[in-house]
Amino acid sequence: TPQGTLAEKLRSGGAGIPAFYTKTGVGTLIAEGKETREFDGETYVMERAIKGDFGIVKAQKADTFGNLVFEKTARNFNPLCAMAATTTVVEVEELVEVGEIDPDEVHMSGVYVDYIYLGEHFEKRIEKRTVKEANHG
């Protein structure tokens, strides 16, 4: 599944939309065995939404209601996975009281969160800056 289609499958699942049509994948292996339909002279392939029993996501911060703040690229798919799940568990680095997160900074409403786990000892290999030592020889 192409990344954009995957994102839309999750978003649709969270929004209660069972399926949607996309041009992505038309005429390729991706479309084999899937329903296609023509709109305005263009062919589209139908993709089914994704709903999950559980969504396990990671956020930078949450308040005790479950309002979430994501860091960097975690904002791309984590909210969609949480929305598409029947039960969402979120691991956070920081847990604060309701009202301590500015409403304009909330990336996902707590209505999608069922359980919050305050984690510890996070290894952030991707977020480390590495530089090559200068060769003075």
Side-chain angles (χ1 to χ4, degrees):
T1 300
Q3 187 172 8
T5 303
L6 176 61
E8 183 59 21
K9 288 173 89 138
L10 289 165
R11 191 202 68 77
S12 294
I17 300 167
F20 62 93
Y21 288 95
T22 178
K23 288 184 61 78
T24 305
V26 171
T28 70
L29 291 174
I30 292 167
E32 281 189 14
K34 295 180 182 174
E35 178 184 323
T36 59
R37 189 162 175 194
E38 193 173 300
F39 296 96
D40 300 323
E42 299 283 338
T43 302
Y44 291 78
V45 62
M46 187 180 79
E47 293 285 353
R48 298 286 313 250
I50 294 175
K51 287 287 296 174
D53 294 330
F54 293 94
I56 302 172
V57 300
K58 166 78 168 49
Q60 172 64 33
K61 185 190 298 187
D63 64 21
T64 53
F65 181 73
N67 294 310
L68 304 178
V69 177
F70 294 100
E71 189 74 18
K72 299 181 178 50
T73 58
R75 200 169 167 186
N76 292 342
F77 278 88
N78 280 311
L80 299 174
C81 290
M83 290 171 58
T86 301
T87 302
T88 297
V89 179
V90 60
E91 179 183 31
V92 297
E93 295 184 31
E94 183 180 358
L95 183 62
V96 299
E97 293 299 318
V98 172
E100 290 187 46
I101 300 174
D102 183 318
D104 289 333
E105 294 176 5
V106 172
H107 297 143
M108 166 158 255
S109 170
V111 299
Y112 296 104
V113 176
D114 298 290
Y115 300 97
I116 302 169
Y117 169 75
L118 179 59
E120 53 186 57
H121 308 298
F122 295 98
E123 181 181 353
K124 298 183 179 187
R125 292 173 287 176
I126 294 174
E127 295 178 19
K128 289 183 181 177
R129 181 176 170 196
T130 57
V131 294
K132 184 176 178 182
E133 289 188 33
N135 185 356
H136 297 289

